[in-house]
Amino acid sequence: MLNVFHQLHCLNMIRKRLYDKTDYPPEHETMGMEHMEHCYDALRQSLMCSADITPLPWAWDEKDQKAKSVARVVHTCRDFEAVQGWAREREVEHYDRTIYVPDDLN
């Protein structure tokens, strides 16, 4: 699995946890705190690794009489549809997570 899809999964889990009125137990498999902490850390690592260095300018806001960051800037991005297509072409069809395969490289 490409990490970007894991990151999107984590973002979606955090979004669901924020907006869902359900009171999940701390040990819940996907909505519990251990999984949420894993997701926060996965997204933190991704942000630090990819480090988007697009400058965010500041502009004077006459109404509020203070400088504010301008978030509407153009970013240079990867072609996400091409990444999805590449991943789909290489998708594993049958994956049994209960089978252990030793790693001969260790």
Side-chain angles (χ1 to χ4, degrees):
M1 174 170 68
L2 296 179
N3 200 28
V4 65
F5 301 119
H6 174 247
Q7 295 158 358
L8 288 169
H9 154 80
C10 278
L11 182 60
N12 191 40
M13 291 295 102
I14 293 168
R15 179 192 62 81
K16 285 180 178 181
R17 178 74 190 234
L18 286 171
Y19 292 104
D20 193 346
K21 303 277 190 256
T22 306
D23 188 20
Y24 294 99
E27 65 278 354
H28 190 277
E29 184 178 359
T30 57
M31 300 303 265
M33 287 314 299
E34 187 175 337
H35 187 239
M36 290 296 112
E37 288 173 358
H38 155 79
C39 281
Y40 300 145
D41 194 54
L43 292 173
R44 176 195 62 80
Q45 289 179 51
S46 174
L47 290 168
M48 291 176 75
C49 287
S50 60
D52 182 352
I53 59 170
T54 303
L56 298 177
W58 290 73
W60 184 255
D61 185 303
E62 197 60 45
K63 179 183 169 209
D64 290 340
Q65 290 293 296
K66 64 180 177 181
K68 293 185 176 180
S69 64
V70 178
R72 294 177 185 235
V73 296
V74 176
H75 297 261
T76 301
C77 301
R78 291 179 175 89
D79 182 343
F80 188 70
E81 289 178 3
V83 171
Q84 283 180 308
W86 184 91
R88 278 192 195 106
E89 290 171 9
R90 290 156 179 82
E91 186 174 13
V92 174
E93 292 184 27
H94 303 289
Y95 178 59
D96 186 345
R97 296 182 352 171
T98 64
I99 297 173
Y100 173 73
V101 178
D103 183 358
D104 295 336
L105 297 177
N106 280 337

